[in-house]
Amino acid sequence: MTRSARWIVFWLGAGGVGVLIVLALLKMPSFGGLVHPYRELSVPAAIGRSSPNIVSSVNFDQRALDTLGEETILLGSVVGAAALLRPSKDEREQLDQDEGRVLEATKLLGYLLLPVTLIVGADVVTHGHLTPGGGFQGGVVLATAVHLLYVAGSYKMLRRVRPKSWYQVAEAVAAGAFVVLGLVGLLLTGAFLANIFPRGVLGDLFSSGTVFYLNVAVGAEVTSGVVVLLSGFLAQALSVREVR
């Protein structure tokens, strides 16, 4: 395809998307109005399905297929970035013996915050259907907790407790679990990602049906994905060296 043909295709596509966006904006209700049809439908649906966190109910129940798309985009982004960050044929990983000097206060704070951050992250993930938070937010907190070891000054220890291959497998398994739950719902109820677990009692940990399990799956995937990403960036900055 010639350069001019590519530009024509691009402007046709961009123009079409632009027209659709303008039409959608013209149909939107006025800002600050008293009519909120989405809220009036989503809130009773969430409460009726024992999920007091309305956002999680929307993400993992009422429009779970859309969340699967977002999860897939995250997985693809991590795979793409990891592929680009791999050492080339002229590069090797070599760890420096001297890790530099870190203030004792920074070390102490890093080691103290690590378990606290892990607990907070796990709480945000597992209670994502009950309280503000969820798998996406909690996964980032958990991945951050692991990397407090690097902040505390021990990159070697971080590499020992963070075997990248494990997290690569965990990310794939978690992403696959989301799809498997959807397929089981399709087989049992006729609808992809339909609920297949008991709703339980509003406020209980094991309640809200599939929302709880999808939340945990996304938390595991986000944790693993962020760890894999940061491991690639840290390796490029700290241990990958050009071999001559």
Side-chain angles (χ1 to χ4, degrees):
M1 183 180 291
T2 64
R3 182 182 179 85
S4 58
R6 289 199 296 270
W7 275 111
I8 291 173
V9 172
F10 168 76
W11 284 116
L12 285 174
V17 172
V19 169
L20 292 175
I21 291 175
V22 170
L23 291 175
L25 291 175
L26 291 175
K27 291 289 185 179
M28 286 184 66
S30 59
F31 181 76
L34 298 177
V35 179
H36 302 283
Y38 195 82
R39 180 199 63 189
E40 292 168 1
L41 291 173
S42 61
V43 173
I47 299 302
R49 297 168 186 176
S50 303
S51 180
N53 186 345
I54 309 303
V55 176
S56 287
S57 175
V58 171
N59 286 340
F60 299 108
D61 185 7
Q62 300 177 42
R63 63 163 187 83
L65 183 61
D66 188 50
T67 303
L68 175 60
E70 296 168 354
E71 189 194 34
T72 306
I73 291 172
L74 172 66
L75 177 64
S77 302
V78 172
V79 171
L84 291 174
L85 290 170
R86 287 182 303 177
S88 68
K89 61 181 181 181
D90 297 325
E91 294 177 331
R92 297 289 185 276
E93 285 203 57
Q94 298 175 349
L95 287 176
D96 294 332
Q97 294 301 318
D98 182 12
E99 294 190 309
R101 180 177 177 273
V102 178
L103 292 175
E104 293 301 321
T106 303
K107 286 184 179 180
L108 178 62
L109 196 60
Y111 290 131
L112 288 177
L113 285 178
L114 195 155
V116 176
T117 312
L118 282 175
I119 293 172
V120 170
D123 179 77
V124 171
V125 172
T126 56
H127 291 84
H129 58 304
L130 303 176
T131 54
F136 286 102
Q137 299 89 335
V140 174
V141 175
L142 285 171
T144 302
V146 175
H147 288 83
L148 285 174
L149 282 173
Y150 171 67
V151 176
S154 182
Y155 181 55
K156 293 178 181 176
M157 185 181 295
L158 171 63
R159 288 172 60 93
R160 283 198 293 272
V161 303
R162 183 220 58 187
K164 189 169 70 174
S165 59
W166 291 16
Y167 286 94
Q168 289 171 331
V169 173
E171 184 185 16
V173 170
F178 200 115
V179 178
V180 169
L181 285 172
L183 292 174
V184 173
L186 178 63
L187 290 174
L188 296 181
T189 69
F192 186 67
L193 283 170
N195 179 60
I196 54 174
F197 295 104
R199 299 286 186 186
V201 178
L202 183 71
D204 284 357
L205 178 60
F206 294 103
S207 62
S208 75
T210 310
V211 174
F212 171 79
Y213 298 96
L214 293 179
N215 217 1
V216 172
V218 167
E221 187 198 347
V222 172
T223 302
S224 305
V226 174
V227 167
V228 171
L229 270 183
L230 291 179
S231 68
F233 283 113
L234 286 174
Q236 281 291 335
L238 301 174
S239 59
V240 174
R241 303 285 183 268
E242 186 175 2
V243 178
R244 298 180 179 176

